[in-house]
């Protein structure tokens, strides 16, 4: 049900001809109100795509009437002309939908450094607007795919209200958000400040802790739109948890469909002196290419975990570190632990536990293995 | 001529049986004086192998009579027993050579988390001592290879004195030194402080700026030994330059032989506000897996260069960034520049220039591409 699971939203997903393949590449999500509250979280990359610069500005107003999303081109590193393209996209949607351009968010994904074919984008917006429906959430989710092999949607229900969402992202997945576009919608009656709090809390422990390949995108966008159509004001904690559940579900789907990956790696850092330490150590492990190759080879190479921990500034004593792979404590007190032959790594899911033996903070980071398929896919992406 | 190019040094390289393959795996380098001055630089990884902990202690005295090096096992993450193994190695060499154990440095390389077969190591030291010769520098360089396909040596000559050296390292090559063992020797008459200054200055702009795969080793060791056998006191700048030249030569050889690599990538960051900024940006580019894949595919994907720059804290304006690949300025002012089809990437060497347009500082970082062969080699390494 995707972005149309909540009442008060329509969507469309169509082929505008942005992609040479003719696959769907333009999506529209429209909030029919009565509320138009919205919050957004964007990439931490200092090189930001034109749609990110635009939408960040839109979100400052806390109101979003519609979101235009396209795959087939990131509109990043395209200069002032690229920003004009985003502006024209928002103006076009505003005109067709009868809303203000300042309430139209735009999100793009695809190759960096290439202008969008604006004639096709603008014609596509007209076509999409004509197909808007409360039943087209799946179509919208399909239209934002790039190298994704499947489209990603999730839904959580509260008492009388719903949170739904869609996501795309398969590569350039790293802290500070992934190369991902995410639109979440709810019919709960929540104002922009309430959405902002719930969204920031949710992304901090979900999308921000997905690190598929260590590469941070120029285009990451996560939007949460509320229509208030249910007429129900949810309790704050319950709403925040529903948003977190949907984000976590989508984040896991991103990892599960990452480019070329054969393993999903769940890295849990425990007994850290602080959550910051736990996250730093988890990310260092997540980004270690040698370890990622070892996991691909189903090799419980805990030495590479220790060498990754050793590059961090977290509090730990090298002689008190413990590491488990799939619950076998192959490293104890910084040295050889239980028999590594006991580790069964045949499943797609591989769990690494790093015990820093310093405090009681913890964090979970999700990563993928490094494979020849990843290399192949990304050495051929733009050609 | 390797470590025996300078007068006053003998070396040996033998097969001690540490490697199952029966390949050479133990090297000995002996300083015959009259001077025994030495300096060392070790890994910045906080998880340090036993031989690093030992040798760092030895180097505090500024005197090294001999170095024992082995491949076939890193003796890292092996606990107090592993440290005892290193201690026993130094004691054995000291006894055989008639020197103090406190003047014997030890360096190991290979798999982390495995104890060394000490009976073979100790017997190997006796065998190596019996074969010491001023003509066996090449044999020593061969005995320290792991996944290296070739052994690495370099020599620079001053007026009446020589600096020679050997290195090994093919993976886990990253800032703060690589998985590499390096021994440099000179017959120049330089004291420990003079060696320390020359070595630190040289490694800072050579080995420290090699980033093949972003992974920092637990065992990196670079030693510089002076025999004084030439009787010549070199001028300080000339000596420092000779040490830098040998380090640079060996560092380039490491990149040229990195595991699975098909490209050597020279990343020059220019017009940075500071050298620190230039190095930070260079390292971020060097570690971007998506870019490394693109280079492998001979795809001048400058968008991935910009997205890597955007993750740093360096001073820059996204709209003033310029990027050249093999001298073609494919990105100008943060946007599309010259035709990317003009870029010829068929050579092994690929040159990326990132112009931050902020100041006049610069730095060069060397990296490799990311290939299916790298994945294969490192998913199978310990099995």
């Amino acid at each position: 049900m995707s972005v149309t699971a909540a009442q008060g939203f329509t969507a469309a997903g169509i082929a505008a001809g942005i992609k040479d393949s003719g696959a769907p590449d333009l999506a529209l999500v429209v909030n029919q109100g009565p509320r138009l509250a919205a919050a957004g979280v964007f990439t931490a990359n200092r090189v930001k795509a034109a749609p990110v610069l635009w939408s960040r500005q839109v979100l400052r107003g806390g109101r979003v009437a519609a979101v235009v999303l396209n795959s087939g081109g990131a509109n990043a590193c395209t200069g002032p002309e690229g920003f004009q393209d985003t502006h024209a996209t928002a103006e076009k949607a505003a005109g067709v939908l009868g809303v203000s351009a300042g309430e139209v968010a735009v999100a793009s994904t695809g190759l960096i450094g290439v202008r969008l074919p604006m004639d096709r984008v603008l014609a596509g917006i007209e076509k999409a607007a004509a197909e808007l429906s409360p039943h087209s959430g799946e179509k919208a989710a399909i239209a934002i795919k790039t190298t994704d092999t499947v489209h990603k949607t999730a839904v959580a229900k509260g008492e009388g209200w719903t949170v739904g969402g869609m996501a795309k992202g398969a590569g350039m997945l790293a802290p500070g958000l992934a190369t991902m576009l995410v639109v979440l919608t709810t019919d709960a009656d929540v104002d922009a400040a309430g959405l902002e709090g719930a969204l920031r809390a949710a992304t901090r422990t979900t999308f921000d802790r997905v690190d598929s390949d260590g590469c941070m995108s120029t285009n990451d966008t996560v939007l949460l739109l509320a229509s208030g159509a249910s007429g129900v004001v949810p309790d704050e904690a319950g709403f925040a948890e529903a948003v977190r559940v949907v984000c976590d579900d989508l984040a896991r789907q991103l990892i599960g469909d990452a480019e070329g990956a054969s393993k999903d790696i769940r890295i849990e850092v425990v007994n850290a002196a602080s959550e910051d330490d736990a996250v730093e150590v988890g990310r260092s492990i997540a980004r270690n290419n040698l370890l990622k190759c070892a996991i691909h080879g189903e090799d419980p190479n805990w030495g590479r975990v220790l060498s990754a921990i050793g590059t961090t500034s977290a509090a730990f004593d090298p002689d008190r570190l413990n590491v488990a792979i799939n619950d076998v404590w192959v490293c104890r007190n910084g040295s050889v632990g239980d028999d590594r032959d006991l580790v069964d790594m045949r499943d797609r899911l591989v769990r690494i536990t790093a015990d820093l033996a310093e405090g009681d903070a913890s964090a979970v980071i999700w990563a993928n293995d490094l494979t020849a398929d990843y290399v192949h896919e990304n050495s051929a992406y733009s050609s």
Side-chain angles (χ1 to χ4, degrees), chain A residues 55-379:
Chain A
S55 298
R56 202 171 51 162
Q57 197 69 30
V58 168
L59 266 295
R60 286 206 182 115
R63 283 171 64 88
V64 169
V67 187
V68 183
L69 306 99
N70 76 274
S71 51
N75 195 11
C77 305
T78 44
E81 296 82 2
F83 190 82
Q84 285 301 325
D85 290 344
T86 292
H87 190 175
T89 299
E91 288 283 1
K92 177 71 180 181
V96 171
L97 299 171
V99 301
S100 156
E103 294 173 3
V104 176
V106 180
S108 300
T109 179
L111 195 61
I112 299 174
V114 179
R115 294 277 300 279
L116 290 171
M118 284 307 293
D119 50 341
R120 296 178 183 194
V121 170
L122 300 181
I125 289 168
E126 285 198 29
K127 185 175 169 194
E131 296 189 14
L132 282 167
S133 154
H135 307 294
S136 294
E138 300 290 325
K139 286 186 181 169
I142 290 167
I144 59 174
K145 284 169 57 186
T146 53
T147 55
D148 305 69
T149 65
V150 293
H151 64 285
K152 288 114 182 157
T153 67
V155 174
K157 293 201 174 278
E159 292 186 16
W161 49 269
T162 296
V163 177
M166 65 179 185
K168 91 96 210 172
M172 219 182 242
L173 293 177
L177 308 187
T179 297
M180 59 184 201
L181 306 182
V182 179
V183 179
L184 309 174
T185 58
T186 183
D187 46 22
D189 188 7
V190 184
D191 65 12
L195 297 177
E196 176 91 8
L199 186 61
R200 291 216 169 263
T203 56
R204 194 178 74 84
T205 60
T206 56
F207 296 119
D208 275 355
R209 293 190 184 170
V210 161
D211 195 333
S212 174
D213 64 2
C215 297
M216 190 194 292
S217 153
T218 50
N219 286 59
D220 301 328
T221 300
V222 185
L223 302 176
L224 170 57
L225 278 53
S227 67
S230 71
V232 180
V233 178
D235 77 287
E236 199 175 321
F239 180 71
E241 176 61 11
V243 174
R244 193 198 65 75
V245 164
V246 172
C247 288
D248 193 48
D249 189 341
L250 292 171
R252 288 289 307 282
Q253 291 182 52
L254 295 177
I255 285 289
D257 190 34
E259 285 171 350
S262 71
K263 301 285 187 192
D264 298 348
I265 312 174
R266 181 184 191 274
I267 301 158
E268 181 166 21
V269 181
V270 300
N271 299 323
S274 68
E275 187 176 347
D276 283 353
D277 273 11
V279 170
E280 182 190 357
V281 167
R283 287 183 175 166
S284 179
I285 296 169
R287 292 181 171 194
N288 189 280
N289 278 354
L290 287 171
L291 176 66
K292 288 156 72 86
C293 289
I295 301 293
H296 177 52
E298 303 189 345
D299 168 11
N301 195 319
W302 59 267
R304 293 176 180 175
V305 177
L306 256 68
S307 74
I309 297 173
T311 64
T312 71
S313 63
F316 70 84
D317 174 346
D319 295 328
R320 294 179 64 210
L321 294 172
N322 305 299
V323 174
I325 301 179
N326 286 349
D327 300 323
V328 179
W329 289 91
V330 284
C331 170
R332 291 182 188 273
N333 295 317
S335 183
V336 186
D338 297 349
D339 185 356
R340 40 170 283 150
D341 290 342
L342 296 173
V343 183
D344 181 344
M345 298 179 70
R346 287 171 297 177
D347 283 354
R348 181 174 174 105
L349 174 63
V350 174
R351 287 168 297 108
I352 297 176
T353 313
D355 172 7
L356 302 189
E358 282 286 337
D360 55 11
S362 64
V364 173
I365 300 283
W366 283 90
N368 290 107
D369 58 342
L370 182 55
T371 71
D373 286 346
Y374 175 90
V375 173
H376 178 71
E377 191 156 348
N378 287 299
S379 58

